[in-house]
């Protein structure tokens, strides 16, 4: 996916290319856990800060569920 994301500390939104991994509802907020391709790391994105979404093409192989569960056990954005 290609998302346009508004970070709280930035004046302008950023375009990010991500591979979605998981959606989570935490503290009354929807969060997207995604593999951020440019940063080569998993990042959490608050859905209300995503201004637009576009299919970017290509494919990816998701990691094993155990790896996602281990990441989520630490919480998202807390």
């Amino acid at each position: 996916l290609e998302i346009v994301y508004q970070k709280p500390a930035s004046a302008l939104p950023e375009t990010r290319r991500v591979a979605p991994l998981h959606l989570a509802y935490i503290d009354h907020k929807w969060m997207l856990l995604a593999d951020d391709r440019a940063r080569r790391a998993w990042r959490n994105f608050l859905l209300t800060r995503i201004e637009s979404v576009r299919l970017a093409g290509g494919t990816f192989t998701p990691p094993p569920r155990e790896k996602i569960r281990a990441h989520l056990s630490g919480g998202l954005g807390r």
Side-chain angles (χ1 to χ4, degrees), residues 35-54:
D35 183 359
D36 187 320
R37 298 306 181 146
R39 288 159 180 81
R40 294 184 176 175
W42 288 9
R43 297 285 195 248
N44 304 320
F45 298 96
L46 188 61
L47 290 190
T48 56
R49 293 189 185 145
I50 297 175
E51 296 183 1
S52 65
V53 178
R54 182 180 78 79

